[in-house]
Each structure stands twice: as structure tokens, then as C-alpha cells.
Amino acid sequence: MTTARTASAGPIAGGGEHPLLRLESLLGTGTEVLAGALLLVETAILFAGVLARYFAQSPIIWVDEVASSLFIWLAMLGAVIALRRTEHMRLTTVVGAMNRVWQARCEAVSLLLALALVLFMIGPSLEYTIEQIAIVRPVTEMSDAYRTAAIPVGLGLMCLFLVRMIATTLPWQRAAVVVACGLALAGVAWLGRDALTGLGNWNLVLFFVLMIGVMIMIGVPIAFAFGLATSSFLQTVTDLPESIVISRLDEGMSSIILLSIPLFIFLGHLIVATGLARAMVMFLVALLGHVRGGLSYTLIAAMYLVSGISGAKAADMAAVAPVLFPEMRRRGADDGELAALLAASGAMAETIPPSIVLIIIGSVASVSISALFIAGLMPALIGAIMLAVVVFLRSRRTGAEGGHVAVEWAGWLAVGRALAMAAPALLLPLIIRAAVVEGIATATEVATIGIIYSVLIGIIVYRRFDPMELFRMLAETASLSGSILFIIGTASGMAWALTQSGLANELSALLTGLGGGKIGFLLVSILIFVVLGSLLEGPPALLVFAPLLFPVARMVGVHEVQYAMVVILAMGLGLFAPPFGVGYYFTCAIGKISPDAGLRHIWIYLSAIFAALILVTLIPWLSLGFLG
């Protein structure tokens, strides 16, 4: 079983003779160049704003407005790039277990459902943009239509790419059959509107459980599944206008807080490319590498440090694994042990600022970002200690790194040299956390500071910045950011629909009626988010359920910051737990290890994270003790 990040349209295929390929290549390259340029412009604008405010004492008043206007363009173009690169998030476990015939059928359905959503949204997005013409931005005095035009443009590009994929990968007969079946189902649903409306809230089960569940199982990307279910629900059983979906998409993707997501992802690429991550890891190797199990301790500590910079789990692991794994293998470490420890370290590091999930949960649940940044360090530290205990016990039983290679300590002089080399890199997480916690800069602004700092240190100190790699990093950043932000947009519409249906009140009544008080509610939440983290990954699970469950948490007396720590750790546990947790599989991919190799070892390490989660649940001080 495997789970992967792929696009709604499946792999790009087809012969070079197809007439759509040349247009697709031209548009694809142009989209990547434009998105990369927007990311650089955003960085420059925000950094200039920071300099003007803190050094020139003369704030540039238009910075936030221009940055937010450009941001939705970056988000939509990034979603287009993710579609073309096959990097939207989806579950492939079920489809992967099918034979080739059924895989092809599911791929055809996935392609056409994605196209159906895009076609459904293009018309309302144009109407929405026309409506925004009359709205003028207060500072720049420009029409808001210049900003919202990104939505129909992005959807139009998606449509072109999906048509190209369908034309070059699907026989027309199969496409025709799928379209005919889809139209028949839509017709039946439309004719049965009155009957469906009479079902009341059972419609929520039909559209948001069964429909989404089926789509995700056959490989439809999560963002497209959310969007299609929400659109179908609104059009079938409500009288709300189609533009609601677009307005919620716009609102979900336009928050200036979320601009820190692409910036931190870009920063994650930079710390690897400029040598900062390697310098930090090599210092930890010099300090701990000689003791029994020392490189395992180093891996845990490195994940704790690097997670404080990149904000993205895949970037964290890509920074640490290639540096440590070769030497750990030389010392006799088992590949399965390596995969298990790296995956558990990823789950441990979910709460370390500036984690993307912290930023998302702060945005959708209206929780202070600085409070989350302060609180996130201690739960992760408890998880790291629990993992270190497991490493200590297992290394005593099996030898240094699973083998018996003796390593002499290089001495304090070597440690001092490594520390001197790593000092500029070690300053970066301190700068990021201190700037946000002390209120010197927002999470978005501090990400730009980190980007400029990393580039300067890479050029001046480590001399490892390759300008030729810049375009690749920008394109990958735009793709990953777009896939995350498009989920945020479609999930915002879904969460709104669920709230408007009255589900929030019913869910509140159900959970408060279970008994057990705070602890009972927290334990139920752990179960919910472990399952959701495994099936939906982090952002989708948080985006849909955080707006519903955080009000309940406040009602039963659970502090919102502690609740954030509990659900993020629970979600991380599910994310890295096989057989469905996608985090486990991209861990294996980064380490170039077969997923089967780690299954025998993963559970003892995840048990350590579960123990840490229970401690954070039972002891509120571990989340709230440093909030003042």
C-alpha cells in the first residue's frame, strides 16, 4: 500500500506528436516563471516593509495590500503548477491495490471529476470578479477585480491542462462512458432534489462522508473532492448562489497570515541549498556522534532544530536524512529502523514553530500565532525525550546504531570548530522564534527575514548558493504551496457549508453529552484527529474540523492553545502511521527505503509519541506554562 502526493489528473503522458503538448509546455513554463517571479516580488516587498518600519521609522502603508493582492495570484498559479506536475494531495492506497484495468477506470473518473469541478467554477468565478470591479482597495485605490481575476485565470489554466491530460491519456470511448454516467447521476440528483432536501442533515452524510469518501478512495485529489462535494451539496439541496463557493475559496486563500506558508517552504529549500542545515547537523554529529546510539540522538535533535526553520516536514527530512543516513548505515543501522525513527521524529516535530499546521490552525481557529509558537516547543521536546528513551533502550540491546562499529570522540576542539561553523545557521531558528514571540515581526515578515539571512549566510559563510538552482526551488515552492492553499480554499467552503447546516451545534451537543468533562473531550478529539490525520493529512483535517471543534473545546473549558497542541500531535501521529499515513511513505521515499522494511519497527517509536501526546493531554502546563 502506498499513499502519495499526485495530481488530480494523474501522470502527464502522451506522445510528443499531440498538438496540445506544445501549448501545454509553453503555458506550463510561463506559469512556473510567473509564479517564481511573484514569490521573489512578495519577498522583496515584505522585506522592504520590515526595513522601512524598523530602520527608517517610516512604514510603507501599501505593503500588506499589495502583498495580499499578489498572494492569491501566487496561490492559484501554484495550484496550476501542482496540477501539471502531478503534485496535488490524494490517497492512492486503494487504487494502488487494484489491477491495471480498474486503475485506468479510476484514473478516468478522477480526471473527469476534476474537470467537472473546474468547469462548474469558471462561470461563477467570472461573475464574482465582475462584481469586485466596483470594490476599490482603500490604500492603492485599485479595483479588487485585479486581485480576484487570479481565480478565473487559474481555473482556466487548470481546464486547459486537464483537457490536454484527458486527450492524451484517455481513449475517447472510455471518457464518453464516464461522462454519460456522470451526467446521468447528476440528472437523477437534480430531479430528486425535493427528496434529498427532505433528508435533512442526512444530506451531510451523503455528500460530505459518502461522496467525499468514494472520491478520495478512487484517487480524486482531496482539494477537488472537497470542492465537488460542497458544490454538489449547495446546488442540490440549497437555494444559495453558485458564487458562494468562489467567495469562500477567495476568503480561504487570501489571508495574509497564510502568505507565510510559501515563504517558509522557500526558506526550507534555501537552508538545504545554502548549507545551513548541513552545518547544524554536523555540529550535532561532532557533539553526539561518538556515543552509543549517538547518530540516532543526532537525528532527533536535528529534526527539532531544522523544523524550526523550514516549516515543512518533507523539507525537514530532506535536510537531515541525506546527511546522516549514509554514516548510520555504515555503522550497521537497519534501514527499517532508520525509516521508523525518521517518521516518528517527523510526528514529534509537528508543533515546532514555524510549522505550517501552526499557521493554518491559527488562521482558521482564530488562535494567536505567537502563543502557538511559544507553546509548540515544549510538547515537541517531550516527544523528543520519549524518542531518546526508546533509542537509549534499543541501542543498549543492539549496539551503537544497530551494529557494533566503534567510533572515537574527536574531542572538544573538534566540537568547538563545528560549533563555530554552525553558529550562523543556529542563529536562524532563534531569530525566527524571537521575532514572532516578541512581536517584532509577523510570521510572514520573519519568513522574509529568514530568506534574506539564509541567502547572505550561504554566499558569505558557506559559499554554497547556486543561482542555477533558484528556478527549481521557486517552482517547487509554488507547487507545494498551491496544493496546500487550494485545499485551504475548497475546505473553507466545505467548513462554511457544514457550519451553516447547523452541524456545529449538533456536534457540540453530542460531544458535551458524552461525559468525562475536559479529559473525555480531549480523548475523543485524539481519536478523531489520529484517524483524520491518517486519511486526509494535516491541513485538510484541520481546515474542516478546527472551526467546528475549537468552539466546543472552549465550551468545555479546554484552553485553545492546549487543544491546538493536542490535535496537532494527534494528527501528526496519524499522518506518520501506516498503512494509510502519507507521512510514513514520503519518509521512506526520502530515505530511499522500502516501506515494508520499517513496518516492524515503526510502532515502538510511534508509541513513544503517543505517550508524549497523553502527557500533553493530561498536563496543561506542558502547553501553557510559558505563555505567561
Side-chain angles (χ1 to χ4, degrees):
M1 292 184 179
T2 60
T3 311
R5 297 172 185 265
T6 60
S8 57
I12 295 176
E17 302 80 10
H18 200 284
L20 289 174
L21 288 176
R22 183 175 299 176
L23 175 62
E24 190 243 18
S25 178
L26 180 62
L27 288 173
T29 302
T31 303
E32 292 181 358
V33 170
L34 182 55
L38 284 173
L39 184 56
L40 291 178
V41 170
E42 292 274 32
T43 303
I45 289 174
L46 291 166
F47 188 67
V50 173
L51 292 179
R53 185 164 70 250
Y54 292 105
F55 292 97
Q57 300 297 314
S58 177
I60 304 174
I61 61 174
W62 51 262
V63 164
D64 284 351
E65 195 168 288
V66 172
S68 64
S69 296
L70 296 178
F71 177 43
I72 192 167
W73 280 93
L74 174 60
M76 287 303 300
L77 293 177
V80 173
I81 295 169
L83 177 66
R84 180 173 181 260
R85 285 171 162 243
T86 68
E87 291 175 351
H88 273 288
M89 299 178 187
R90 73 169 179 175
L91 183 75
T92 59
T93 306
V94 176
V95 175
M98 299 178 181
N99 59 41
R100 291 185 178 181
V101 173
W102 278 101
Q103 285 182 0
R105 291 172 179 171
C106 289
E107 192 65 34
V109 174
S110 177
L111 277 165
L112 292 164
L113 285 176
L115 181 59
L117 175 65
V118 171
L119 291 174
F120 171 82
M121 295 172 69
I122 284 179
S125 70
L126 288 170
E127 294 176 7
Y128 180 73
T129 299
I130 292 170
E131 291 172 359
Q132 300 302 109
I133 293 176
I135 299 176
V136 177
R137 307 285 281 179
V139 177
T140 59
E141 297 184 350
M142 295 179 63
S143 171
D144 195 47
Y146 289 108
R147 183 185 65 84
T148 59
I151 301 176
V153 169
L155 292 172
L157 289 171
M158 286 186 189
C159 184
L160 289 174
F161 288 133
L162 284 167
V163 169
R164 202 287 299 171
M165 293 172 181
I166 291 169
T168 56
T169 59
L170 292 182
W172 70 266
Q173 298 94 331
R174 183 183 299 161
V177 170
V178 174
V179 169
C181 292
L183 290 175
L185 286 174
V188 170
W190 182 260
L191 293 174
R193 291 184 70 197
D194 293 338
L196 289 173
T197 303
L199 292 176
N201 278 350
W202 283 105
N203 281 305
L204 302 179
V205 176
L206 179 63
F207 286 96
F208 297 117
V209 177
L210 294 179
M211 185 175 179
I212 287 180
V214 170
M215 285 192 288
I216 289 176
M217 290 302 169
I218 64 173
V220 177
I222 294 170
F224 289 82
F226 283 178
L228 201 55
T230 304
S231 300
S232 301
F233 173 78
L234 293 177
Q235 291 302 301
T236 305
V237 299
T238 75
D239 296 320
L240 295 171
E242 299 175 357
S243 59
I244 288 291
V245 176
I246 304 301
S247 65
R248 302 309 302 180
L249 181 77
D250 178 21
E251 184 175 338
M253 297 175 70
S254 297
S255 172
I256 193 68
I257 296 174
L258 298 176
L259 179 53
S260 57
I261 290 176
L263 295 176
F264 276 121
I265 292 172
F266 185 38
L267 178 58
H269 285 293
L270 285 173
I271 66 166
V272 176
T274 56
L276 274 74
R278 181 176 180 83
M280 286 188 284
V281 174
M282 294 314 295
F283 163 65
L284 293 172
V285 170
L287 186 65
L288 301 171
H290 65 287
V291 302
R292 183 178 294 180
L295 292 184
S296 296
Y297 297 131
T298 298
L299 188 150
I300 297 169
M303 285 294 294
Y304 194 97
L305 278 176
V306 173
S307 292
I309 304 173
S310 74
K313 287 284 105 34
D316 301 341
M317 294 176 175
V320 172
V323 178
L324 289 177
F325 275 17
E327 179 62 18
M328 294 177 81
R329 288 187 174 109
R330 190 186 72 81
R331 296 189 188 186
D334 178 76
D335 271 0
E337 196 88 25
L338 295 182
L341 179 59
L342 184 61
S345 298
M348 169 270 294
E350 283 291 300
T351 65
I352 298 176
S355 169
I356 287 174
V357 293
L358 288 179
I359 297 167
I360 291 175
I361 209 167
S363 174
V364 301
S366 300
V367 182
S368 166
I369 297 292
S370 61
L372 292 173
F373 274 31
I374 295 170
L377 294 170
M378 181 59 73
L381 180 60
I382 300 301
I385 292 171
M386 291 296 180
L387 288 177
V389 170
V390 173
V391 168
F392 176 83
L393 296 175
R394 291 177 74 80
S395 64
R396 289 301 178 273
R397 181 172 60 85
T398 60
E401 303 293 340
H404 304 281
V405 178
V407 179
E408 293 185 4
W409 187 40
W412 287 111
L413 182 60
V415 173
R417 290 197 192 102
L419 176 58
M421 181 60 67
L426 292 170
L427 281 175
L428 184 54
L430 297 179
I431 292 171
I432 289 174
R433 291 162 186 162
V436 176
V437 170
E438 297 299 325
I440 297 172
T442 65
T444 303
E445 291 171 336
V446 81
T448 66
I449 295 171
I451 288 170
I452 302 300
Y453 180 88
S454 298
V455 172
L456 292 177
I457 294 298
I459 294 173
I460 297 170
V461 177
Y462 301 122
R463 300 181 181 180
R464 282 194 56 184
F465 183 71
D466 183 3
M468 300 302 293
E469 286 288 294
L470 184 60
F471 177 74
R472 177 192 61 80
M473 290 188 288
L474 290 170
E476 290 180 0
T477 298
S479 177
L480 178 55
S481 303
S483 67
I484 293 172
L485 293 167
F486 197 57
I487 286 179
I488 291 175
T490 57
S492 295
M494 179 176 166
W496 181 87
L498 290 171
T499 302
Q500 293 299 113
S501 70
L503 178 64
N505 294 331
E506 294 185 9
L507 187 62
S508 173
L510 174 63
L511 293 177
T512 53
L514 289 176
K518 296 180 183 179
I519 300 302
F521 172 72
L522 287 170
L523 293 176
V524 171
S525 297
I526 288 173
L527 177 62
I528 290 172
F529 278 96
V530 167
V531 174
L532 292 175
S534 180
L535 296 177
L536 293 181
E537 300 193 45
L542 291 174
L543 288 163
V544 174
F545 285 91
L548 300 177
L549 292 178
F550 267 78
V552 183
R554 297 183 185 106
M555 186 183 302
V556 299
V558 178
H559 194 287
E560 59 190 10
V561 173
Q562 183 198 7
Y563 191 60
M565 297 301 110
V566 170
V567 300
I568 290 172
L569 279 176
M571 181 204 66
L573 192 64
L575 179 64
F576 287 91
F580 294 108
V582 67
Y584 175 71
Y585 296 102
F586 70 65
T587 298
C588 294
I590 289 169
K592 299 180 180 178
I593 297 169
S594 168
D596 295 335
L599 290 176
R600 188 164 56 92
H601 306 281
I602 186 70
W603 300 110
I604 187 169
Y605 289 103
L606 290 182
S607 297
I609 301 301
F610 181 73
L613 171 58
I614 295 301
L615 287 175
V616 172
T617 301
L618 298 178
I619 308 174
W621 184 88
L622 295 177
S623 301
L624 309 176
F626 295 97
L627 294 184

